[in-house]
């Protein structure tokens, strides 16, 4: 019997059964390699924190003794309470403001929507401490509006007031982006039915809009709370004597060399992030689809009064954003605040040359470029292996778990784990300690989850038939990856690379424990300038990071356009 006369099902299955086993071996080996990378640079540092928390200074096991001593230290418990109530207050302020802004963008016909949205995304391009520096110039001891602040009953901006205001500025775009997505998914039929029954606008808002966006509101609140709880830069710059958990970790580890107590505080910082991750996962599973196959996308209807109010609201928020950014830029050019307001390049010269931040800026660019290139490659290859290849299911489950874990690990905690793990003399990876390479690896791991989810989303949109056909033709998976998957997914690759680059330029908490005088990065150099009292130079360097991030964003957009013309022509339909 010839192959042509075989039954149809045997004709199809036989080539698949004769697949290239050596190619499967390569894919499994790559999965093992990615698992080892995540175990070495994520799981092992976190386990080192747990180990330090249950040991004394001599390395002997004391189990819960360090936690008990922490609970008996009033100052440390006060820091815990400060972190909780400040994070809750910032969440209570930011989420409603961001919801109003997102509502105006998605549910009105106001003009200049792209401009307003672009302005509110500015904080993502600069270190979080830029807002703290700006507040000092607005309301500090020699601030422009210090008298007005005191007139409303606030004695000084340093401490809790400054942290709250600065954090609201820093986390606003994170909450806004989540809520814009939530409000964009609405079924117009619900609103049409409500209007047909004579339902007033206020009732439609509380019975349709809010319930439809409740999961987005929960996610925005959880993300905001966690970001504030784990942020280090803003409390360090404007916190004064107001202690929070993030600054306590730094003082215990760097100042007092009390690694056990530092590990205890790190675990406490890890708990809200893990709780947030768990609640968000639970909420995501319960979320129902807002847009079904029969749904009609919501389109706002022009309304003169409604659009005018939306424009005024967005204008007010955008003005506050620009005021924060504008003050930092203005102060960076002032010769001597507040006595000589003549513009000069003295602060930039002082920061780049005298304080040698220029070297740190170069290191930041190296770290950001390495994070973008190698992080994107690691994330996308890992996601491809998990989604499009088979075998070693137990190991693949472990890799999936490790890929999601960084979302629940604050950068400060991860950096502390790197100290404990990579500074150990017996560790064969000890040679990486105090190198730009380790800074890059730490940053990749810190932001791994978002890149992984982006890659998985792009890969899930591709039919698995690509791999099935390749297997039937005995084409190795890596050829399919190179010739089909990679070109189709280039937009996602560029988005991942841009995300890695921008976050590597602006991150502080993930690398604050890992730098040395020889490989200091720009964001850490800003902290050092602020500690030395050179706040104008610190503002100048923060502005430079913002400019570099903006230029990088534009270049990535240009790259996306150029690559899209060459790889995405199949998306254009001819008429």
């Amino acid at each position: 019997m010839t192959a042509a006369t075989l039954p149809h099902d045997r004709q199809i299955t036989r080539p698949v059964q004769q697949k290239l086993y050596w190619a499967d071996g390569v894919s499994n080996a790559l999965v093992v390699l990615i698992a080892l990378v995540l175990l070495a640079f994520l799981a092992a540092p976190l386990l080192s924190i747990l180990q330090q928390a249950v040991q004394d200074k001599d390395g002997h096991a004391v189990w819960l003794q360090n936690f008990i001593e922490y609970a008996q230290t009033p100052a440390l418990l006060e820091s815990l309470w400060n972190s909780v109530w400040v994070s809750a207050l910032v969440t209570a302020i930011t989420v409603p403001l961001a919801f109003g802004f997102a509502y105006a963008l998605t549910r009105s016909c106001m003009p200049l929507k792209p401009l307003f949205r672009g302005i509110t995304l500015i904080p993502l391009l600069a270190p979080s401490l830029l807002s703290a520096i700006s507040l000092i110039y607005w309301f500090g001891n020699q601030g422009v509006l210090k008298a007005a602040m005191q007139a409303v009953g606030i004695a000084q901006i340093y401490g809790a007031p400054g942290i709250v205001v600065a954090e609201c500025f820093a986390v606003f775009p994170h909450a806004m982006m989540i809520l814009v997505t939530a409000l964009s998914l609405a079924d117009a039929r619900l609103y049409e039915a409500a209007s047909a029954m004579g339902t007033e606008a206020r009732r439609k808002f509380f019975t349709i809009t809010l319930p439809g966006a409740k999961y987005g509101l929960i996610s925005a609140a959880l993300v905001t709370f966690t970001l504030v709880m784990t942020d280090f830069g803003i409390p360090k710059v404007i916190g004064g004597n107001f202690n929070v958990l993030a600054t306590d970790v730094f003082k215990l580890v760097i100042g007092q060399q009390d690694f056990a107590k530092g590990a205890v505080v790190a675990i406490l910082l890890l708990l809200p992030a893990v709780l947030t991750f768990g609640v968000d996962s639970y909420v995501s599973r319960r979320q129902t689809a807002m847009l079904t196959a029969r749904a009609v996308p919501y389109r706002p209807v022009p309304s003169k009064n409604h659009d005018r109010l939306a424009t005024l609201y967005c204008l007010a928020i955008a003005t506050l954003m620009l005021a924060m950014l504008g003050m930092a830029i203005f102060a960076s050019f002032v010769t001597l605040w507040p006595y000589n307001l003549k513009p000069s390049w003295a602060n930039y010269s002082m920061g780049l040359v005298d304080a040698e931040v220029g070297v740190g800026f170069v290191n930041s660019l190296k770290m950001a470029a390495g994070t973008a290139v190698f992080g994107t490659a690691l994330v996308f290859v890992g996601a491809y292996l998990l989604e499009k290849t088979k075998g070693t299911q137990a190991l693949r489950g472990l890799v999936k778990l490790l890929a999601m874990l960084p979302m629940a690990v604050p950068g400060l905690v991860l950096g502390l784990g790197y100290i404990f793990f990579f500074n150990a003399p017996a560790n064969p990876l000890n040679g990486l300690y105090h190198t730009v390479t380790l800074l890059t690896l730490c940053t990749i791991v810190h932001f791994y989850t978002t890149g992984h989810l982006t890659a998985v989303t792009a890969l899930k949109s591709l039919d698995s038939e690509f791999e099935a056909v390749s297997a039937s033709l005995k084409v190795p998976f890596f050829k399919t990856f190179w010739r089909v998957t990679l070109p189709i997914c280039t937009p996602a690759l560029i988005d991942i690379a841009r995300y890695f680059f921008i976050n590597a330029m602006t991150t502080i908490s993930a690398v604050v424990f890992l730098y040395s005088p020889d490989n200091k990065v720009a964001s850490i150099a800003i902290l050092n300038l602020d500690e030395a009292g050179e706040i104008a130079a610190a503002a100048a360097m923060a502005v430079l990071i913002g400019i570099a991030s903006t230029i990088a964003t534009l270049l990535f957009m240009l790259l996306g356009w150029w690559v899209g013309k060459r790889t995405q022509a199949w998306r254009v339909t001819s008429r």
Side-chain angles (χ1 to χ4, degrees):
M1 182 180 291
T2 63
T5 61
L6 287 172
H8 179 70
D9 57 341
R10 292 180 63 188
Q11 290 185 45
I12 297 299
T13 58
R14 183 172 178 177
V16 176
Q17 291 172 353
Q18 293 178 350
K19 58 186 177 180
L20 301 178
Y21 290 102
W22 66 268
D24 291 344
V26 172
S27 67
N28 291 335
L30 289 174
V31 172
V32 170
L33 179 60
I34 291 175
L36 290 175
V37 170
L38 292 176
L39 286 171
F41 295 96
L42 175 62
L46 294 180
L47 290 176
S48 296
I49 292 178
L50 180 60
Q51 181 182 6
Q52 287 285 339
V54 297
Q55 291 181 344
D56 59 16
K57 294 181 179 180
D58 298 324
H60 300 131
V62 294
W63 304 113
L64 297 179
Q65 183 62 37
N66 292 323
F67 292 88
I68 296 172
E69 291 180 2
Y70 179 90
Q72 295 174 343
T73 308
L76 295 178
L77 287 179
E78 183 181 1
S79 297
L80 174 61
W81 168 242
N82 288 343
S83 292
V84 171
W85 77 259
V86 164
S87 300
L89 180 58
V90 172
T91 302
I93 295 172
T94 303
V95 172
L97 289 176
F99 181 84
F101 198 93
Y103 187 83
L105 290 178
T106 57
R107 303 299 173 89
S108 75
C109 295
M110 69 175 190
L112 304 176
K113 288 184 181 181
L115 176 62
F116 286 128
R117 185 170 184 176
I119 290 173
T120 57
L121 294 178
I122 289 176
L124 298 177
L125 301 176
S128 61
L129 51 78
L130 178 70
S131 57
I133 293 173
S134 182
L135 279 178
I136 291 174
Y137 280 104
W138 277 114
F139 304 105
N141 293 332
Q142 296 177 323
V144 176
L145 299 179
K146 180 183 178 181
M149 178 189 68
Q150 293 177 337
V152 298
I154 302 176
Q156 62 175 2
I157 196 66
Y158 302 99
I163 294 176
V164 170
V165 176
E167 292 288 4
C168 287
F169 173 85
V171 302
F172 184 90
H174 297 274
M176 188 268 294
M177 288 189 295
I178 295 172
L179 292 172
V180 164
T181 302
L183 289 171
S184 297
L185 303 176
D187 191 345
R189 297 176 302 168
L190 298 175
Y191 292 89
E192 292 172 358
S195 298
M197 292 186 293
T199 307
E200 60 180 5
R202 181 179 179 182
R203 187 173 182 183
K204 284 192 285 188
F205 177 81
F206 284 103
T207 57
I208 302 176
T209 304
L210 275 184
K214 63 181 179 181
Y215 294 112
L217 285 166
I218 293 172
S219 295
L222 292 172
V223 168
T224 300
F225 184 89
T226 303
L227 288 174
V228 178
M229 191 83 174
T230 58
D231 183 52
F232 172 75
I234 288 175
K236 185 72 171 63
V237 171
I238 204 171
N241 295 324
F242 186 84
N243 294 323
V244 294
L245 287 181
T247 53
D248 273 358
V249 172
F250 187 79
K251 292 175 183 177
L252 287 168
V253 174
I254 303 300
Q256 303 175 23
Q257 297 289 302
D258 192 340
F259 297 122
K261 288 280 181 61
V264 170
V265 179
I267 291 175
L268 292 176
L269 272 177
L270 189 62
L271 291 179
V274 172
L275 178 63
T276 296
F277 180 71
V279 173
D280 189 62
S281 298
Y282 173 76
V283 168
S284 298
R285 288 195 299 269
R286 293 181 60 88
Q287 184 174 2
T288 56
M290 296 302 298
L291 286 179
T292 63
R294 298 180 180 179
V296 178
Y298 180 84
R299 295 285 186 270
V301 179
S303 173
K304 187 175 181 180
N305 291 333
H306 177 70
D307 294 343
R308 186 177 298 168
L309 287 174
T311 304
L312 290 175
Y313 180 82
C314 290
L315 181 62
I317 297 292
T319 300
L320 292 174
M321 290 279 182
L322 291 176
M324 295 286 279
L325 177 66
M327 176 55 78
I329 295 175
F330 175 74
S332 70
F333 285 103
V334 169
T335 302
L336 182 62
W337 183 278
Y339 308 106
N340 184 359
L341 302 182
K342 182 180 178 180
S344 72
W345 294 97
N347 296 320
Y348 288 88
S349 175
M350 191 272 168
L352 290 173
V353 181
D354 298 341
E356 299 182 350
V357 180
V359 177
F361 200 80
V362 173
N363 288 335
S364 286
L365 292 174
K366 291 179 181 178
M367 184 182 78
T371 301
V373 174
F374 297 108
T376 303
L378 179 66
V379 161
F380 193 77
V381 171
Y384 178 84
L385 292 171
L386 293 177
E387 293 296 322
K388 300 297 185 180
T389 63
K390 305 298 181 182
T392 59
Q393 293 305 313
L395 184 59
R396 291 168 189 269
L398 175 63
V399 173
K400 288 182 180 180
L401 174 63
L402 292 175
M404 299 302 295
L405 185 57
M407 183 180 288
V409 180
L412 206 65
V413 175
L414 185 63
L416 185 61
Y418 272 50
I419 287 184
F420 297 151
F421 182 68
F422 290 99
N423 195 30
N427 189 339
L429 299 175
N430 176 262
L432 292 173
Y433 194 63
H434 280 168
T435 64
V436 176
T437 301
L438 189 61
L439 296 178
T440 302
L441 289 167
C442 179
T443 307
I444 290 173
V445 171
H446 182 206
F447 299 107
Y448 190 95
T449 301
T450 301
H452 174 77
L453 292 176
T454 303
V456 167
T457 301
L459 290 167
K460 282 184 179 297
S461 65
L462 301 181
D463 198 326
S464 57
E465 285 297 317
F466 287 115
E467 283 70 33
V469 171
S470 298
S472 68
L473 297 175
K474 294 191 285 187
V475 175
F477 76 93
F478 50 82
K479 284 190 177 181
T480 307
F481 172 81
W482 182 257
R483 294 178 180 178
V484 179
T485 308
L486 201 60
I488 293 176
C489 294
T490 47
L493 283 169
I494 292 173
D495 287 342
I496 295 169
R498 177 174 58 191
Y499 173 80
F500 272 131
F501 188 95
I502 300 304
N503 281 282
M505 286 295 298
T506 58
T507 187
I508 295 174
S509 58
V511 297
V512 70
F513 291 125
L514 302 178
Y515 73 94
S516 70
D518 296 328
N519 59 26
K520 187 185 301 180
V521 294
S523 57
I524 301 301
I526 296 172
L527 282 178
N528 295 339
L529 284 171
D530 176 72
E531 288 181 345
E534 299 291 347
I535 189 170
M541 297 304 99
V543 170
L544 276 182
I545 290 180
I547 293 173
S549 299
T550 303
I551 293 173
T553 300
L554 295 175
L555 290 176
F556 275 112
M557 292 173 63
L558 181 62
L559 177 63
W561 171 81
W562 182 81
V563 172
K565 287 185 64 178
R566 285 155 177 78
T567 63
Q568 306 301 308
W570 60 275
R571 296 179 183 271
V572 180
T573 58
S574 59
R575 294 182 179 179

